[in-house]
Each structure stands twice: as structure tokens, then as C-alpha cells.
Amino acid sequence: MPYLDWYLFHLMANDWSWFRSTVATRPHPKDKSRPDPHFSLSQHTTMIPTILITLFIAFIGYYFSAPAKETDKLNNGKELPGPIGIPYFGNIFQIGLHQYISFSKWAQEYGPIFQIKLGVKRWVVVSDAAVAHELMVKRGTNYSARDHSFIMNEIVHPGSRGMLASSGEYWRKIRKLAHNGLAQKPVESYTPFIENESLELVRSLYNSALDPVIHFRLFTLNIILTTVYAKRFESPDDPTFLKLQSYIVDTIGFLGYDAIINLFPILRKLPLGLNKKARHLMANYFDLMKQFWDRFKEEHARGETKPCVASHVINHQDDDGLDDFDVHNMFIDVLGAGLDTTAITLSWMIALLANHPEMQARAHAELDAAIGRDRLPTLADQPNLPYIRAILRETLRYRPATGWLSIPHQSVQDDLYEGHLIPADTTVVANVYAMNMDPRRYAKPERFDPDRFLHVTESSAALANGPIGKRDHVTFGWGRRLCVGVHLAEAEGFLSLAQLLWCYRIEVEKGGVPPVVNEWQLGITMPPKPFRVKFAPRHEGVKEVIAK
Ligand code: HEM
């Protein structure tokens, strides 16, 4: 669910298909074990004129759209340090494929807060959790906006509606509405739905050997739909399910173009056919959301609906004068933001545990002692399963689903930070890698070690709002923009892991290879590379208990 200029990086690294097919998927020259069946330089040299023309147009676009010189504004404070870039493009070409690594290197040279220029934009990169907390939490009134995004604010959410990309008063209202349905209390009332979907998940994996990711996606989509509209899909073959899933994936796909368009606004004027396609997609998507909503309202009026986000929303919608179109926009963000993030986190947990049978053995012992073998664990068992909770927390720290850079915030007014001026409209991005892997905060940070969180009892949501020194990790973002689905994410992550481990040993098949955990797929999120594991029932009683 990550958006906005943040996509620049993914665009450069991943979303230019020519680039991906020539460079990103190319095995390292020394890696003889990975043949490169697709690479052909001649196939791609034909793209070079197109790239040069695009860069030229971007240059012209920058020239005519660049803001006036900022020296006047900077009178109050020194400019933040940062690497020197080239005219017009700034530091774009210095960032490289693994931006978090370049940022971490620059942090060593320029300190925990430095600035770079990307086309027309100024970015402030923060690599220290305390500095990010100071800006985005303590000074949250100034650092909780989002940059204007062409795709998000004009095509996905015409009129800058929705939650993820809106700012100011409108965002506060829509966020409050979503919060009404996704805060801790309402999420607790969804316990039966979450437990039901988790049961369906463990049933679907019984004694199987596979890559579980598609099952995790069905699990998370069904939970969101059940909690949003009190509806679920029985089967992954349901045509409406397939339609909805493709709308979500295609919308996220369009976001890949966003960054370059935001940095070089002239590109909006080019006849790329992008607008037309994206608007057509969104028309269909909104139509489906309207069908869900209209049906829900009818059922709600007849008193036939169960508690869910939509029922909370219906009860509060009029408080802030938000109409049905606002509600569709909000749900589109909730679906987009909640679908893959949790599924990716689950995939990482399974991949990591398959590599650590000794951790599974500890979790199994904890489950046997606290739950026994006659019933599945429930959400109410959380306090008695500290090791399982620690595995979830450590996975979120160690392999954050939304990647190593936070979703950028935007400043509203000029601000002085330790004598340095951060002008209004600056994009502020947290280097999650530097923070989640900070050796001052975590002993041996490169080691996956749930024990570091064994005695942490508060939720990640609660810790995010407390002092930074006690925060577990920064994966759910910052301050007023903190992930609004954090309670749901923690509940579904904990329960599915507890139930999966209660039922199964996660094994590498005979002759198979353990899941790769030190590399990940390049993309707008950070999923593990595809892998295959076996879900071997732990004891005789599993079949009977999950059949009940
Ligand atoms: C492990 C799972 C998840 C992770 C790692 C995650 C992470 C994030 C992050 C990093 C942000 C941006 C925070 C910021 O700007 O500072 C965010 C925002 C958001 N998340 Fe999540 N998320 C997860 C699950 C969910 C779920 C389950 C939902 C909904 C059901 C959800 C809905 C949202 C929404 C709507 C926003 C936008 C909030 C705003 O801009 O005000 N997320 N999430």
C-alpha cells in the first residue's frame, strides 16, 4: 500500500520493464548457478532512443516547471547537508538499485538527516528513529501531509479523495471514519470472522507441499472484505473475487508510473494512453464498490448486517458530511493497503521458520503447554503465547512488507530542525532499513532472533505512540499517518501463525531447498522469493480438530 514519490525508487529499480529485463533480473556475473535465459542486449538497445527522448522531455519539463530559487526561503536556517547532484535531475542517477543502501552510506557521510534533490522535488532522508520520531510524531501537525500524486490524486481518487494520498482537513475526516471501523475495539468485535478465516486457511494447507502465498492472499482479502462489508468469497474461482483482485493489482500497477510523472510533470501531457486506461479501470472498480455498498446499505436498513467497518461507517458517515463516493474511495485504499501487506508478512514468517526448525520446536512446546492438543489457539490466548507474538514482531522488524523505505510524508510549513531549514512541501522519507537494523537498538540486528522481543507485551500500535526508545520497530509508519489497519494486521498475523504452528511442522521437502531469506523480490512491496514448503501435521488430532 505504499504510494507517491516513493514509487520513484521502485519505478527506477523495478517498474521499467526494459530495465528489469536487462539489469534487475540479470544474475550476478559471478553467480554461475543462475543461468540467464531471458537476457539479450540487442533486444533492448532499441529502447535507448525512447529513454533518451523521455529524459529530454523530462529535462524540458523540469526547466519550465521548476520552482523559483529557494535561497530567499533559506534565510532562516542552513541548508541540510547532502550529496551534490547534477542540474535538473538532482541525485536521481546516484541512488542505484538498492536505495536504502545508498541512503545508509550517505547517512554515514552527512549524518542522520540529509537532503537530496529528485527532479523538481526536495527529499529529506532520515536514518535515525529518534529524529524521525521528532519530526513525524512530535511535530506531526507539520509532517503528516502527502505530496500531490498525479495517479493517486487525479486518476485513482479524482478530486484528491481517499485516505492514502489526501492531506489536510479532508484526510482527517476520512481517516477518522476508517478509524471508527479499524481501531482496537471494533477489531476485537471482528474476532469471530478472523478466527473463521484462519481456520479456513489451516484447513486449506493440510498436509500440502506448496508456495502458500496464494492462500495467504485469499485469507487476507477475505478478512478485509468480511470486516469491511461482512462478506466473503467461498472460493478463489468466484468471478467477482477474480475481478476485484485484478482491479486491486492493476491499480497498484498504475502507481508504478506515478513517481516519474510527479517528478517531471510535463510527462502528464504526453499521449501515453495511460490516463485513458487508468480511468477506465477506476470506473469499473468504483462500479463494483458501489454494488457492494448499495447491497450493504439495503441489508443494513433491514437489520441483516453483522458488525463490520461498513456498519461503523454508516453510523458515522454523516457526522463529517462525507458522501458515498468518499466511502468508496476510502474502501479502495483499505483494500489496496491491507491485501498484500499481511500476506507478505505471513510468507516471510513461514520462510524464516522453515529455516529455523529449532524456533518451531520452541513455539510447538509453548503451544502444547499453553493450549494443549484438543483445540486451536484463539485470539484470547495471546498473553499466554509470548514466543509466537515475538516471532511476528521480529518478522515485521526483520523483513518489513512495505520495504526498506517508509511511505513518504510531506511538510506543510517551513520548519527549523537543529538550525537547518526544512522548507514547506519537502518530502520526508524514513530509512526503515537503517532504523530496523540499527545496532544501537538491536544487538546483532542482521540475525533473525524472536527472543529480542520475548518480554514485550504491548501491541506495536501502542508502542508506536509511546517514547521512541521503547518502540519495537518502525514498520507501521509514523504518528498521525501510522497504519490505520495496524490492529487488524496484528490480530490476523498472530492468529494465523499460532494456528499454523499448532497444526503443522513447516518443513523443507525431501530434496528441496530451504526458502531464501536474504534476498527478496523487487517490487513496490518486499515479498520473499517464491518458495515451497511442506505443512506436515504435528499430531494425530490435527485433522479432527480442524474438521470441527
Ligand atoms: C503487516 C501488515 C501491514 C503493514 C506492514 C502496513 C504498513 C503500513 C505503512 C508503513 C503505512 C504508511 C504509514 C505512514 O505513512 O507513516 C500504512 C498505511 C496504511 N495502511 Fe497499513 N500496513 C499493514 C496492514 C494494513 C491493513 C490490514 C490495512 C487495512 C485493513 C491497512 C490499511 C492502511 C491504510 C488505509 C493506510 C493509509 C493511512 C493514511 O495514509 O492515513 N494496512 N500501512
Side-chain angles (χ1 to χ4, degrees):
M1 13 104 280
Y3 298 107
L4 310 178
D5 288 343
W6 183 66
Y7 281 100
L8 163 73
F9 299 123
H10 302 294
L11 182 76
M12 293 184 68
N14 317 316
D15 293 322
W16 283 6
S17 54
W18 65 272
F19 186 86
R20 183 164 47 197
S21 53
T22 51
V23 181
T25 60
R26 256 185 112 178
H28 190 278
K30 286 187 183 157
D31 185 355
K32 303 282 182 235
S33 64
R34 292 164 58 202
D36 183 7
H38 308 299
F39 180 69
S40 151
L41 187 61
S42 60
Q43 200 183 325
H44 297 285
T45 46
T46 52
M47 293 300 297
I48 289 173
T50 315
I51 295 156
L52 291 177
I53 290 166
T54 306
L55 291 178
F56 176 73
I57 291 165
F59 171 91
I60 301 291
Y62 177 89
Y63 190 80
F64 287 107
S65 58
K69 288 235 175 314
E70 284 152 339
T71 36
D72 292 349
K73 283 192 190 170
L74 293 171
N75 284 342
N76 289 335
K78 291 179 287 179
E79 205 160 339
L80 278 165
I84 295 168
I86 55 170
Y88 312 113
F89 292 104
N91 306 95
I92 281 183
F93 302 115
Q94 292 159 274
I95 290 172
L97 255 184
H98 298 291
Q99 311 83 27
Y100 65 95
I101 293 181
S102 317
F103 288 177
S104 301
K105 281 192 189 135
W106 281 334
Q108 283 172 6
E109 201 176 337
Y110 301 107
I113 173 164
F114 63 85
Q115 69 173 10
I116 54 174
K117 294 278 181 64
L118 301 172
V120 296
K121 299 285 176 189
R122 176 198 299 272
W123 278 46
V124 164
V125 181
V126 183
S127 300
D128 180 278
V131 179
H133 185 82
E134 170 64 32
L135 297 183
M136 291 189 277
V137 182
K138 290 192 181 161
R139 304 187 195 184
T141 32
N142 191 40
Y143 292 97
S144 297
R146 299 269 197 227
D147 190 10
H148 183 86
S149 137
F150 176 61
I151 302 265
M152 280 300 274
N153 298 111
E154 293 180 33
I155 295 188
V156 175
H157 297 303
S160 297
R161 298 201 190 188
M163 187 180 356
L164 257 164
S166 58
S167 298
E169 194 45 35
Y170 178 81
W171 164 74
R172 266 187 289 281
K173 285 189 204 171
I174 202 98
R175 171 127 185 157
K176 195 173 113 198
L177 198 62
H179 184 76
N180 283 333
L182 287 166
Q184 191 169 349
K185 275 262 164 289
V187 167
E188 277 166 16
S189 72
Y190 310 145
T191 298
F193 309 148
I194 302 171
E195 291 182 348
N196 184 47
E197 292 305 331
S198 187
L199 177 61
E200 292 296 332
L201 174 69
V202 291
R203 278 183 186 151
S204 70
L205 294 174
Y206 185 81
N207 212 7
S208 58
L210 75 182
D211 185 335
V213 67
I214 192 71
H215 294 265
F216 294 157
R217 289 210 173 109
L218 186 67
F219 165 68
T220 53
L221 185 64
N222 259 346
I223 288 189
I224 298 169
L225 275 185
T226 320
T227 53
V228 166
Y229 288 116
K231 292 284 168 213
R232 69 183 295 275
F233 294 111
E234 289 296 332
S235 136
D237 302 326
D238 184 310
T240 314
F241 167 77
L242 291 173
K243 221 172 8 174
L244 177 61
Q245 207 199 21
S246 80
Y247 291 158
I248 297 172
V249 171
D250 291 352
T251 307
I252 292 175
F254 272 113
L255 291 170
Y257 298 97
D258 207 27
I260 199 77
I261 295 177
N262 292 339
L263 298 182
F264 301 106
I266 189 79
L267 295 176
R268 293 175 198 185
K269 310 272 185 249
L270 292 183
L272 297 172
L274 183 73
N275 286 359
K276 208 168 154 195
K277 277 191 201 153
R279 286 185 206 281
H280 183 65
L281 166 72
M282 292 319 294
N284 288 335
Y285 195 169
F286 274 102
D287 194 43
L288 185 61
M289 298 309 278
K290 186 171 169 348
Q291 287 170 29
F292 282 156
W293 183 240
D294 289 346
R295 193 197 50 209
F296 183 84
K297 282 209 305 195
E298 282 166 27
E299 289 172 2
H300 188 75
R302 293 197 298 269
E304 289 170 9
T305 50
K306 297 179 190 148
C308 61
V309 180
S311 60
H312 285 274
V313 164
I314 271 189
N315 295 336
H316 295 276
Q317 185 187 358
D318 294 337
D319 300 355
D320 286 315
L322 295 167
D323 63 21
D324 284 5
F325 189 57
D326 294 311
V327 173
H328 302 327
N329 277 284
M330 182 193 76
F331 284 145
I332 280 177
D333 281 348
V334 168
L335 286 173
L339 172 71
D340 233 14
T341 43
T342 318
I344 290 172
T345 304
L346 282 172
S347 291
W348 274 119
M349 284 199 286
I350 297 305
L352 287 159
L353 287 171
N355 279 276
H356 289 285
E358 78 291 357
M359 293 182 189
Q360 290 190 53
R362 269 184 74 181
H364 290 151
E366 182 177 85
L367 285 158
D368 285 345
I371 311 295
R373 292 194 164 188
D374 298 332
R375 68 167 179 93
L376 282 168
T378 66
L379 278 169
D381 293 314
Q382 285 199 67
N384 304 321
L385 298 172
Y387 193 64
I388 308 269
R389 293 185 80 182
I391 293 173
L392 170 63
R393 216 184 283 272
E394 173 68 345
T395 305
L396 285 160
R397 176 194 76 86
Y398 189 72
R399 294 292 178 254
T402 41
W404 290 124
L405 296 178
S406 72
I407 298 177
H409 290 204
Q410 177 96 349
S411 66
V412 178
Q413 295 174 339
D414 291 0
D415 185 31
L416 271 183
Y417 177 77
E418 302 206 330
H420 294 286
L421 186 102
I422 302 177
D425 301 328
T426 297
T427 298
V428 178
V429 66
N431 182 350
V432 173
Y433 178 77
M435 298 178 196
N436 278 3
M437 294 287 171
D438 184 344
R440 295 168 306 164
R441 291 169 66 87
Y442 311 100
K444 300 199 176 141
E446 298 289 346
R447 207 175 62 186
F448 178 69
D449 179 11
D451 269 320
R452 67 177 89 243
F453 293 123
L454 194 58
H455 301 293
V456 179
T457 52
E458 292 111 309
S459 68
S460 292
L463 291 169
N465 292 315
I468 186 64
K470 288 193 154 181
R471 195 167 176 191
D472 46 0
H473 52 72
V474 301
T475 300
F476 286 114
W478 302 93
R480 290 149 205 239
R481 285 279 181 179
L482 187 79
C483 172
V484 76
V486 60
H487 300 285
L488 185 58
E490 288 196 275
E492 56 192 17
F494 164 79
L495 189 71
S496 52
L497 179 64
Q499 295 200 343
L500 283 167
L501 284 171
W502 186 90
C503 294
Y504 305 119
R505 278 189 316 279
I506 298 143
E507 293 174 346
V508 178
E509 280 178 294
K510 222 171 179 181
V513 286
V516 174
V517 291
N518 289 326
E519 290 172 41
W520 39 85
Q521 295 181 53
L522 294 175
I524 53 178
T525 47
M526 198 173 96
K529 298 216 156 167
F531 62 87
R532 207 178 142 86
V533 288
K534 187 169 176 204
F535 291 86
R538 273 212 304 134
H539 52 82
E540 296 287 301
V542 171
K543 198 169 190 176
E544 199 186 320
V545 169
I546 65 177
K548 281 182 198 163

